[in-house]
Amino acid sequence: MKGAQRGPILRTQEGQEAACLCNDEESCEASDSSYSYVQPDAAASNSSHAAGAVPQAQARWPGVPPPRDIDVTDSDDEDGAGAACPSDDGFSDIGQPGDTEVVYVREAVAVWPTRSERIVGRLSLIRQHRVLFLSWLPYAPGALAPDGVFTPTPADTPPVSPARDRTAYAIHPLPLSEVRALRRHTPALGGQHVVLVLASGLTLPPLTFSSGGVKVFFAALKQHVLLARSAGEPDTYLVNDTADPLQRSLTSLELSDVLIGAPPPGASATFAPPAGLMWGGEGEAGSRGWQLADLLGDSVARVRSFARETTSSLLAASALLPPQETCGAGSAALRNGHAEAAELPTTTAPAGPGELGAFELVAPAAAPGGGDGPRGAPPPPPLSLEEWGSFLTSEGRVRGERALRQRVHESGVEPAARREVWKFLLGFYPMDSSATERAALLASKRAEYGRLKEQWRSISKAQAARFSKWRDRRSRVDRDVRRTDRAQPYFAGEGNRNVRTLRSVLLTYSLYNFDLSYCQGMSDLAAPLLFVMRDEAEAFWCFAALMDRLEANFHTDCTGMQAQLAGLAALVRLLDPQLTAFLARREATTFYFCYRWLLIHFKREFAFDEVLRLWEALWAAALTPHLHIYMAAAVLVTHRRAIMAADLDFDGLLRFCIERAGHMDLAHIMRTAAQLCRLAGRAGEDALAASGLPP
């Protein structure tokens, strides 16, 4: 990220020594277990800001923890390395959007919930995909290390605001397209503050600048968005005011007057409360005014929605609108946002030339990497370390789990925060655990991993000669790790220590889950976890947590995969009967051509950095725990014309799906999957449940 970099900067050092990777335990040389971590340089750990200073209690970024070794000190020839991969490589930018830029940062901007209570945070303007986002995040009640680990504030530190206040008032990255107006207020006493009025009519709490800086903030805004001063209210600025005719009509009806009072003359927001009712830190009257605006926000939004629906119905017969028969029921439901109320077609006539089918016409195109909302709104920047801290209480517990999962689903996680956030998404860390509890859990699990690893490291040559199952498992692991992600620099090259570490993780798991053992495909799942965690023990336990979810995929009776394939068939039958009829004619309704997609969650279909983004969205489970099945349906629906035009049989479909690897747009597929999920609604959930999948 340009501007304000976060997190550790990892560098590659030439001439790094590496242990060899071999199959024969007699030829492996023993080496000591070690964990290395590169400290962030001063430029990265102390980001420059536009103005202001972080309070002393909040500015502490503890150094990277000392190397954490697993207590395995024997020199067994099986695998003496036992080390987590060194972090001195060049992958800190994997998955990070190349065109994301922090264009403005202001420290110590405050919100006043009451006259005597202040919440201090950081105000930022972030540009991504040529879209400007505004964010105000309260300082975390503790310290965040560059890898996202949270340390509570010491007991002798002055207390900060309760978590409920901090979480409630945080402004997570908000596109300026959703802001209708900004109102600047300069009181005789106290700091200047800025009030945001959203297009929905909701007025956000004032952002107070303690020592000036409002002019610089507005100057930064004017460089990226159009600000127009209101004719009748010189301190009110309209954001990107395009004089929407519908908006003018609503204003002319004076609906705002009925609800809360007339807006300032010339204002184009749905309503802007008069100065006497504006929320502020000056007293109780201001607080009541903001609360009233908050309560009426939904009512005004409903009025706007009703007005838009009425306008659409009046224009339905107009030539300005496309004929209704060109849009399937599913497309209309997606466009109007009424997913569960849509009547899904049960029979469909064969498509003729130019026909779109039920689900080829979807929501309007979004910006690059756009979100999956009904209007295709651009997604906010990925979850950053600072924003991650805003979800933590003073004890380090996650508050607002649903909002966190939605943020991860929409935009993903910055590389610097993944190491910590992934542990929560995978369930290794409970969401309600405190920082102290997590530290104890990690220490316990680290010691347990050492004991587990010792079990196979202590197998002697004579014992291995009489242990055929162990030799078979070891051989399968050695065969797979040689070819897992070796094109990635993190695993590339002969004698790569990271490959040895991956081998250790998989061999340990084969004994930890002895009944399941090791199966082909597990190395594909473990490698990204090791890349993100940079720690052997942490990677192992995250892999074990992931396998708790995916273990059924690798059962010898194939019941888990059969249930997923049956669920995919049920979804396609529900969403696209025409495609289902075609597959039935070609005797391909088993959907085994999608087997690899579902087995390892599209690991080989997308680039490595895209897989990281995809997996964290799957684990967030914001829409459904079976998003990967909707993604498979989305790929088939997206290419339905090509499939049917080529009259592909089962073998042709298998080749077609394999050839999709590296040629699919992840953002588009995720948006389509989310739209299909909303469209299917309860019927989709029931179809998956009937296939034997857990809710």
Side-chain angles (χ1 to χ4, degrees):
M1 179 179 290
K2 303 175 185 177
Q5 290 185 333
R6 308 180 181 92
I9 296 179
L10 309 177
R11 296 186 174 86
T12 302
Q13 297 178 352
E14 299 296 329
Q16 171 187 330
E17 295 184 359
C20 66
L21 172 64
C22 56
N23 293 325
D24 187 359
E25 66 267 27
E26 290 144 354
S27 61
C28 287
E29 297 181 359
S31 62
D32 295 333
S33 297
S34 61
Y35 293 81
S36 60
Y37 201 84
V38 177
Q39 295 269 5
D41 57 24
S45 60
N46 298 290
S47 302
S48 59
H49 303 295
V54 184
Q56 185 67 23
Q58 306 294 345
R60 293 180 290 105
W61 280 63
V64 178
R68 298 178 288 187
D69 296 342
I70 297 174
D71 189 17
V72 179
T73 58
D74 65 276
S75 59
D76 183 81
D77 289 340
E78 174 58 44
D79 188 334
C85 50
S87 297
D88 46 340
D89 51 70
F91 291 95
S92 60
D93 61 342
I94 282 288
Q96 192 167 349
D99 58 351
T100 299
E101 181 181 5
V102 178
V103 299
Y104 171 87
V105 175
R106 174 75 183 188
E107 302 292 349
V109 176
V111 166
W112 292 80
T114 65
R115 182 190 298 269
S116 59
E117 183 181 8
R118 183 180 71 156
I119 305 175
V120 184
R122 173 183 292 135
L123 178 64
S124 306
L125 295 177
I126 307 167
R127 186 174 61 187
Q128 176 172 276
H129 302 304
R130 294 177 296 179
V131 177
L132 191 68
F133 295 84
L134 181 146
S135 170
W136 179 83
L137 299 174
Y139 295 136
L144 283 174
D147 60 357
V149 176
F150 179 82
T151 303
T153 303
D156 56 353
T157 303
V160 296
S161 300
R164 57 180 177 84
D165 291 337
R166 294 175 51 258
T167 304
Y169 293 108
I171 303 176
H172 299 285
L174 175 73
L176 264 293
S177 59
E178 296 184 13
V179 177
R180 192 59 174 159
L182 295 96
R183 188 172 186 274
R184 183 175 63 183
H185 181 60
T186 305
L189 297 176
Q192 294 179 317
H193 64 251
V194 175
V195 177
L196 279 69
V197 180
L198 304 186
S200 64
L202 177 65
T203 301
L204 299 183
L207 301 174
T208 303
F209 293 69
S210 58
S211 56
V214 173
K215 289 185 178 180
V216 177
F217 171 63
F218 274 84
L221 281 174
K222 289 178 180 179
Q223 294 179 9
H224 303 280
V225 297
L226 176 64
L227 293 182
R229 189 187 296 268
S230 173
E233 186 71 27
D235 289 333
T236 299
Y237 295 82
L238 307 181
V239 181
N240 293 326
D241 184 30
T242 57
D244 186 337
L246 175 61
Q247 194 69 59
R248 289 205 312 267
S249 299
L250 290 176
T251 303
S252 67
L253 292 175
E254 298 183 348
L255 296 176
S256 303
D257 296 2
V258 178
L259 294 172
I260 196 170
S268 61
T270 303
F271 75 93
L277 289 179
M278 291 301 293
W279 187 98
E282 290 89 349
E284 293 184 11
S287 178
R288 288 195 300 271
W290 176 80
Q291 293 171 1
L292 179 59
D294 191 9
L295 292 173
L296 290 175
D298 290 341
S299 300
V300 176
R302 286 195 294 270
V303 171
R304 288 190 60 191
S305 177
F306 174 77
R308 290 186 182 275
E309 292 175 1
T310 303
T311 304
S312 298
S313 64
L314 291 175
L315 298 177
S318 172
L320 296 176
L321 295 181
Q324 294 298 319
E325 55 269 23
T326 63
C327 303
S331 302
L334 285 175
R335 187 177 60 253
N336 296 328
H338 303 305
E340 297 188 5
E343 294 184 7
L344 300 176
T346 55
T347 58
T348 306
E355 291 185 358
L356 293 176
F359 301 101
E360 289 191 83
L361 184 63
V362 293
D372 51 43
R375 291 178 175 268
L383 181 76
S384 65
L385 278 173
E386 290 87 345
E387 189 175 359
W388 163 241
S390 72
F391 283 101
L392 301 176
T393 69
S394 58
E395 295 179 334
R397 305 181 193 275
V398 173
R399 182 174 179 87
E401 177 182 351
R402 183 176 180 181
L404 173 64
R405 292 184 180 276
Q406 185 63 35
R407 277 288 289 121
V408 174
H409 170 81
E410 289 178 350
S411 304
V413 184
E414 279 193 353
R418 276 179 174 149
R419 182 175 180 180
E420 190 72 2
V421 176
W422 277 24
K423 294 172 188 152
F424 288 89
L425 297 178
L426 286 167
F428 175 56
Y429 284 163
M431 286 284 182
D432 60 349
S433 62
S434 67
T436 303
E437 292 168 346
R438 292 194 295 272
L441 173 65
L442 185 58
S444 173
K445 289 297 186 180
R446 194 178 298 281
E448 184 179 354
Y449 177 74
R451 294 190 295 269
L452 291 170
K453 184 176 179 180
E454 177 68 11
Q455 293 178 6
W456 63 264
R457 286 170 59 101
S458 62
I459 296 176
S460 65
K461 291 180 290 185
Q463 184 181 8
R466 297 172 176 83
F467 198 170
S468 61
K469 288 186 177 180
W470 167 247
R471 295 197 307 272
D472 176 64
R473 296 179 183 193
R474 186 183 60 194
S475 175
R476 281 185 279 134
V477 169
D478 288 340
R479 181 177 62 249
D480 283 356
V481 295
R482 282 203 206 96
R483 56 190 183 186
T484 300
D485 291 325
R486 298 308 297 272
Q488 296 300 320
Y490 186 75
F491 294 105
E494 293 298 325
N496 191 308
R497 293 185 63 189
N498 301 325
V499 178
R500 287 182 63 88
T501 304
L502 178 61
R503 176 179 185 257
S504 296
V505 168
L506 295 173
L507 287 175
T508 305
Y509 185 80
S510 71
L511 289 182
Y512 171 73
N513 191 342
F514 196 85
D515 290 338
L516 183 62
S517 182
Y518 173 81
C519 302
Q520 186 176 9
M522 289 184 181
S523 61
D524 285 285
L525 300 175
L529 296 173
L530 178 59
F531 168 79
V532 169
M533 296 300 149
R534 311 299 173 97
D535 181 287
E536 182 177 342
E538 294 181 19
F540 171 82
W541 289 113
C542 287
F543 176 66
L546 178 60
M547 288 305 303
D548 287 342
R549 304 181 181 191
L550 304 183
E551 178 175 340
N553 288 13
F554 299 94
H555 285 168
T556 55
D557 59 5
C558 296
T559 54
M561 288 303 301
Q562 288 175 358
Q564 293 183 75
L565 292 170
L568 175 58
L571 280 183
V572 176
R573 184 164 57 250
L574 175 70
L575 295 169
D576 197 339
Q578 185 179 7
L579 179 59
T580 299
F582 167 81
L583 296 175
R585 291 195 301 271
R586 303 302 290 160
E587 299 182 351
T589 53
T590 60
F591 286 83
Y592 271 100
F593 46 86
C594 301
Y595 194 94
R596 188 176 75 179
W597 295 353
L598 304 182
L599 177 69
I600 53 177
H601 286 189
F602 293 87
K603 169 60 163 54
R604 301 183 186 178
E605 319 312 317
F606 297 102
F608 191 81
D609 57 330
E610 290 182 317
V611 169
L612 305 183
R613 167 69 184 95
L614 168 61
W615 283 7
E616 58 200 14
L618 298 182
W619 302 336
L623 297 177
T624 171
H626 306 297
L627 182 61
H628 64 294
I629 300 180
Y630 281 95
M631 285 193 59
V635 175
L636 296 177
V637 168
T638 299
H639 297 284
R640 64 193 304 273
R641 275 192 173 184
I643 291 172
M644 292 188 289
D647 196 24
L648 298 178
D649 58 7
F650 180 86
D651 292 339
L653 285 165
L654 181 60
R655 288 192 299 270
F656 180 84
C657 290
I658 292 175
E659 291 170 356
R660 293 306 93 205
H663 296 88
M664 292 190 290
D665 183 343
L666 176 63
H668 171 72
I669 296 300
M670 290 182 66
R671 284 197 303 269
T672 305
Q675 291 165 352
L676 293 180
C677 181
R678 294 187 177 99
L679 176 64
R682 177 63 64 181
E685 297 177 12
D686 293 342
L688 293 175
S691 303
L693 295 172

